[in-house]
Amino acid sequence: MQDRKGFTLIELIIAMLISGIVLTILTTFVIYVLNIQRNQENFLIAQDAVRVAGLKIEKDIRTSSQSIKVSTESNCTTISENDFDVPIIYCLSQNTLTRNGDFVTNNIETFTITQRLSDAIDIYIKGVYEGRAIEYDQKIYLRTAS
């Protein structure tokens, strides 16, 4: 019996048990890291959506003749000027921002466009993703006729 080579059943079971514990720990760690990565990617997507919405509003203002009138009524803000055939209306309803009835983005908590006298327009958008705030704050100075 002393010439036998190989492993006993107990040695094999202990080796499998140790391997199982190590693999369980590694798998748990990999799943944890993948969940963090997915949450971060989703946050970046939400952040990008807020930024794109702000840039869309900015583009509407910057490509205008700059003689703009901003008015807010309830949860809608209207940007009107002589050059627009139809005024541009941004509305926030149930955390969804729309532009003339077309979807812009969702997960928006607060949205304001305010005109300070006739020289500047402030755009503020606040989105929320899993309790984390995403903000877009931009001031646009209007060109003035000389």
Side-chain angles (χ1 to χ4, degrees):
M1 287 226 163
Q2 293 180 4
D3 291 347
R4 276 188 13 193
K5 295 182 181 175
F7 298 103
T8 65
L9 184 58
I10 300 231
E11 290 172 332
L12 288 174
I13 290 173
I14 290 173
M16 288 174 51
L17 181 64
I18 292 171
S19 298
I21 291 171
V22 169
L23 287 174
T24 301
I25 291 170
L26 286 175
T27 303
T28 303
F29 178 72
V30 168
I31 289 171
Y32 175 75
V33 168
L34 289 174
N35 283 337
I36 288 174
Q37 179 185 0
R38 185 179 65 240
N39 286 339
Q40 191 64 25
E41 285 176 4
N42 289 338
F43 178 75
L44 290 174
I45 289 169
Q47 191 176 32
D48 194 47
V50 169
R51 184 184 59 82
V52 167
L55 291 174
K56 184 177 285 258
I57 296 167
E58 230 182 288
K59 180 183 175 191
D60 287 339
I61 294 168
R62 291 187 191 278
T63 59
S64 69
S65 68
Q66 305 276 304
S67 58
I68 294 174
K69 179 183 174 207
V70 176
S71 60
T72 302
E73 199 174 299
S74 176
N75 60 347
C76 293
T77 300
T78 303
I79 302 171
S80 58
E81 73 165 326
N82 295 336
D83 292 351
F84 293 149
D85 293 335
V86 179
I88 299 172
I89 303 171
Y90 285 95
C91 291
L92 181 62
S93 176
Q94 297 176 346
N95 294 343
T96 300
L97 183 64
T98 58
R99 178 187 184 269
N100 290 347
D102 296 329
F103 175 83
V104 175
T105 190
N106 54 10
N107 296 328
I108 302 297
E109 187 177 89
T110 306
F111 160 76
T112 58
I113 301 175
T114 53
Q115 189 166 10
R116 294 184 311 116
L117 302 172
S118 62
D119 67 337
I121 293 180
D122 295 322
I123 302 169
Y124 179 75
I125 302 172
K126 180 180 178 186
V128 176
Y129 176 77
E130 291 186 359
R132 293 166 57 185
I134 304 165
E135 294 183 354
Y136 179 90
D137 193 6
Q138 182 68 30
K139 181 178 297 188
I140 300 173
Y141 291 97
L142 300 174
R143 296 183 302 268
T144 56
S146 308

